[in-house]
Amino acid sequence: MNINEIRSQFPVLDQQVYGKPLVYLDNAATTQKPLCVIDRERDYYLHENCNIHRGVHYLSQQATEAYEHARQTVARFVNAPEAHEIVFTRGTTESLNLLATSLGRMIVESETGKGGPHCVPLTVLVTAMEHHSNLVPWQQLVQQQGGKLLVAPMDDDGVLDLQAYEERLKQGPQIVAMAHVSNTLGTVNPIKEMIRLAHQYGALTVVDGAQSMAHLPIDVQDLDCDFFVFSGHKMYAPMGIGGLYGKTKWLEQMPPYQFGGEMVDTVSFERTTFNKLPFKFEAGTPNVGAALGLETAIGFIEGLDRSAVAAHEALLVNATLERLAAIEGMRFIGQAPERSGLVSFVIDGIHPYDLGTIIDKMGVAVRTGHHCAEPVMTRFGIPGTVRASFAVYNTLEEIDVFVKAVSRAAMMLR
Ligand code: 7TS
C-alpha cells in the first residue's frame, strides 16, 4: 500500500495548524474525505442536481437512477440480499431512532394485537459499551412504555462478558442492540455469536456498525443480524448520509417512522396508504448528493487492499500502545485482544482535556472526553479519556509525533 499516494487524495491532511503539520487522529469522530468523494458530490451539484422519484424530466430521472444505484452499491457492500433492504438516513443516530420508534411499535402492536388496550412492556438489551446513540433511544423507548433496559457487562479490559450476556437474554428481551466496535475502547464484539445467541432466545438484533464499516468487511447475511446501521461520514463519505439494513420481513411489518412526501402511496383526508420498501421509510427529500458521495466512498474503500489496510491499522494501534506505554502513569482504557482502529488512555493525575488542549497546539488532533459513552467512563471510574483513532492515511511518523507530543504535554502538566 502506498500511503503517500493515498494521502495525496486527502488535501485536507496537507496543512499546518498553529504552524505545525496537522496530525489528524480523530477518525472515529469523522474521517477525512478523498478527492473522488468531494468531486462526486460537486459534480452532482454542477450537472445533475434535481429532486428524485417525482419528475418525468431528464434530470430527475438521471438523479433518481443514480440515487438508486447508490443504494444497490451499499447493498452489495454489506451483502444485503435486496437493495430495498437498505434505507438511507442521515446516519447511525437517525437509523437507531428510526428503529427504536418503528421496531418498538411493531413489537408492541404484534404482541398486543393492533390497537389493543394493553401494552406489552418492552425489554431491550444493550451492552455496557454503547455510544449514547445506541443507548438513549432504547432507554427512552422502554421508559415511555414501562419496560426495562438490560445491560450486558464487560470486564476491566473492555471485553464483553458473554456468559452474563446470555443470562440477560434469559430475561426475554425482544430487542438486542450491540456495538460492533466500541468507539471508546476499540473492542470488536463477537457479534456473530451474540446474534446467534440472541436469536436462540427469540430476540431481534440491531448492530451499530458506526465504527466498523470502514475497517471490517461486513456481511449481513453471514452475520444473520436483523438490522445493521452505519454513518457515511465515518467511512470517507460526506456527512448527512448513512443508512440501515433490515431484513425484508421486518421492514414490511414495521410502521413508518416519519410521514410526508415520498413515503406515501395514496392520500386522502380520511386515509393514507404507504409506499413500498424502502420508500416507506424515506419521507421527504433525501440527501442525494451525499448518497452519491457514499457510493464513491465505497468504491474508494473497495479500491484498497482491505487486508493490507487492516494490517496497517493494526500496526498503527500496536505502535501507539507500545510507544505510549513508556510514559509514566499511562493507563490504557480498553485492552481487548480483538480491537480495531483506536487507542484510548488516561495518565495518572492529568485531566484528558488538558492533555488534548496542549497537544492540539502541537498540531495533533485527538478527541478527549467521554466520547458520548458516559456509562463507559463511569464503569472505569474516570471523567474521560484521550482517544487517538486511525484511518488508512495515518502513518507511523504521525504516531511518533503524537507520542512525543503526549510525552511533552505530560511533563508540562505534572
Ligand atoms: N455509534 C457509535 C459506535 C459511534 O461511534 C457513533 C459516533 C455513533 C453511534 C453516532 O454516529 P452519528 O454519525 O450518527 O453521529 N461516534 C463519535 C465519536 O466517537 N466521536 O464523535 C462521534
Side-chain angles (χ1 to χ4, degrees), residues 22-175:
L22 170 67
V23 173
Y24 184 77
L25 300 178
D26 194 17
N27 295 287
T30 198
T31 59
Q32 299 300 345
K33 322 302 174 200
L35 277 172
C36 57
V37 168
I38 298 167
D39 287 346
R40 182 66 193 96
E41 208 175 10
R42 186 168 178 270
D43 275 354
Y44 169 74
Y45 286 111
L46 278 176
H47 307 295
E48 300 160 78
N49 176 50
C50 194
N51 212 328
I52 56 168
H53 294 140
R54 296 165 205 199
V56 290
H57 62 79
Y58 179 82
L59 276 187
S60 180
Q61 287 186 16
Q62 292 295 305
T64 302
E65 228 169 81
Y67 183 71
E68 291 308 320
H69 195 271
R71 193 191 308 279
Q72 287 166 12
T73 300
V74 174
R76 184 179 46 70
F77 189 61
V78 299
N79 197 28
E82 305 281 350
H84 70 236
E85 294 178 309
I86 302 297
V87 175
F88 281 124
T89 64
R90 284 189 295 129
T92 304
T93 301
E94 188 176 37
S95 298
L96 290 166
N97 276 277
L98 185 162
L99 289 176
T101 304
S102 175
L103 188 60
R105 255 187 72 193
M106 179 193 94
I107 291 171
V108 171
E109 285 177 3
S110 68
E111 291 191 9
T112 54
K114 280 208 167 81
H118 304 296
C119 267
V120 173
L122 270 176
T123 304
V124 178
L125 170 60
V126 296
T127 78
M129 61 184 92
E130 299 307 326
H131 185 280
H132 295 164
S133 287
N134 199 26
L135 164 58
V136 182
W138 304 116
Q139 178 195 60
Q140 296 302 302
L141 173 70
V142 297
Q143 284 180 356
Q144 281 156 18
Q145 240 249 319
K148 210 166 29 175
L149 187 77
L150 303 173
V151 182
M154 59 182 160
D155 70 13
D156 291 343
D157 287 339
V159 176
L160 192 83
D161 179 342
L162 262 187
Q163 217 175 337
Y165 170 76
E166 190 167 356
E167 287 305 315
R168 305 294 184 281
L169 286 174
K170 289 179 185 162
Q171 296 182 46
Q174 293 99 331
I175 300 169

Side-chain angles (χ1 to χ4, degrees), residues 155-361:
D155 70 13
D156 291 343
D157 287 339
V159 176
L160 192 83
D161 179 342
L162 262 187
Q163 217 175 337
Y165 170 76
E166 190 167 356
E167 287 305 315
R168 305 294 184 281
L169 286 174
K170 289 179 185 162
Q171 296 182 46
Q174 293 99 331
I175 300 169
V176 180
M178 61 189 87
H180 191 180
V181 174
S182 156
N183 72 315
T184 40
L185 308 165
T187 308
V188 180
N189 280 317
I191 56 166
K192 192 168 172 183
E193 175 64 3
M194 291 168 75
I195 290 162
R196 193 189 64 75
L197 281 168
H199 286 162
Q200 196 178 306
Y201 288 91
L204 295 178
T205 50
V206 177
V207 178
D208 175 352
Q211 295 296 344
S212 61
M213 276 283 268
H215 303 279
L216 305 171
I218 306 297
D219 182 337
V220 292
Q221 292 187 67
D222 178 55
L223 290 171
D224 195 29
C225 53
D226 297 289
F227 300 94
F228 188 98
V229 302
F230 66 96
S231 295
H233 72 95
K234 293 184 198 289
M235 48 182 290
Y236 309 107
M239 291 192 174
I241 190 75
L244 72 85
Y245 154 80
K247 284 182 179 168
T248 301
K249 62 178 170 183
W250 307 129
L251 293 176
E252 292 279 14
Q253 287 179 55
M254 284 160 55
Y257 163 59
Q258 291 180 334
F259 302 94
E262 193 64 30
M263 53 75 64
V264 292
D265 182 20
T266 62
V267 180
S268 69
F269 285 114
E270 289 72 35
R271 197 174 114 79
T272 296
T273 57
F274 303 122
N275 206 340
K276 61 184 196 244
L277 293 177
F279 312 113
K280 181 172 89 174
F281 292 108
E282 292 184 4
T285 300
N287 194 340
V288 179
L292 305 187
L294 172 62
E295 177 174 40
T296 305
I298 288 173
F300 169 78
I301 292 172
E302 289 179 331
L304 301 165
D305 175 345
R306 292 201 78 185
S307 55
V309 173
H312 174 66
E313 288 176 356
L315 184 78
L316 296 174
V317 167
N318 290 334
T320 305
L321 288 170
E322 201 181 297
R323 295 176 199 183
L324 281 179
I327 296 172
E328 200 192 318
M330 178 62 58
R331 176 180 165 208
F332 294 113
I333 306 297
Q335 303 231 60
E338 295 295 328
R339 61 187 300 159
S340 167
L342 64 93
V343 172
S344 245
F345 64 88
V346 290
I347 301 178
D348 286 346
I350 295 176
H351 198 283
Y353 178 80
D354 294 337
L355 199 119
T357 308
I358 291 181
I359 70 171
D360 171 51
K361 297 291 183 295

Side-chain angles (χ1 to χ4, degrees), residues 15-22 360-363:
Q15 63 174 301
Q16 302 216 328
V17 294
Y18 310 109
K20 305 274 177 1
L22 170 67
D360 171 51
K361 297 291 183 295
M362 302 177 192

